[in-house]
Amino acid sequence: MAQYATLIYSRDVDWSEPQYAAEMAEYNEFGAAAAAALRGGAALYPTSTATTVRVKGGKGGDMVTSDGPYAETKEALTGFYLLEADDLDAALKLAAQIPAAWDGAVEVRPVLQFGQ
């Protein structure tokens, strides 16, 4: 069975804050409903906690870090699920049930399986 990464793009908020408890409950409902297909996932802290790493000069070069995400956007990568599904259509149907799909976006990508 194929695996799909579902990348969740939504408002850039701290989901651990109590004011988002109702929305987190919707994610918990999705988690319970899709438990048979879920292989992993996590919510991410806001982009203000991100650090971007680049290596100046390529491999072996100097590491350069900067605070924040790579790009500033209205919607940010705020979490992900790793799903297992029969095919892309089944993965898309599951992704449509992720709350971010209702007012943000969920990107679905097949996971490349090495060693098979």
Side-chain angles (χ1 to χ4, degrees):
M1 194 172 293
Q3 290 189 338
Y4 297 88
T6 57
L7 308 176
I8 299 168
Y9 293 89
S10 63
R11 292 174 290 126
D12 190 20
V13 298
D14 185 346
W15 295 104
S16 66
E17 294 292 326
Q19 65 263 34
Y20 302 109
E23 292 176 70
M24 284 307 300
E26 292 177 334
Y27 281 94
N28 290 335
E29 288 175 21
F30 168 75
L38 286 178
R39 296 297 173 262
L44 302 175
Y45 279 98
T47 57
S48 61
T49 66
T51 303
T52 299
V53 176
R54 294 180 177 84
V55 176
K56 192 172 184 176
K59 184 177 180 180
D62 295 326
M63 182 176 69
V64 178
T65 63
S66 58
D67 292 339
Y70 177 69
E72 289 187 28
T73 60
K74 180 180 174 189
E75 295 172 340
L77 177 63
T78 57
F80 64 92
Y81 287 108
L82 180 61
L83 302 174
E84 194 168 77
D86 288 334
D87 55 30
L88 179 60
D89 287 340
L92 294 175
K93 287 179 182 174
L94 282 169
Q97 298 172 39
I98 298 173
W102 309 334
D103 61 0
V106 177
E107 179 181 335
V108 178
R109 282 198 212 177
V111 173
L112 184 59
Q113 303 289 322
F114 290 102
Q116 291 187 358

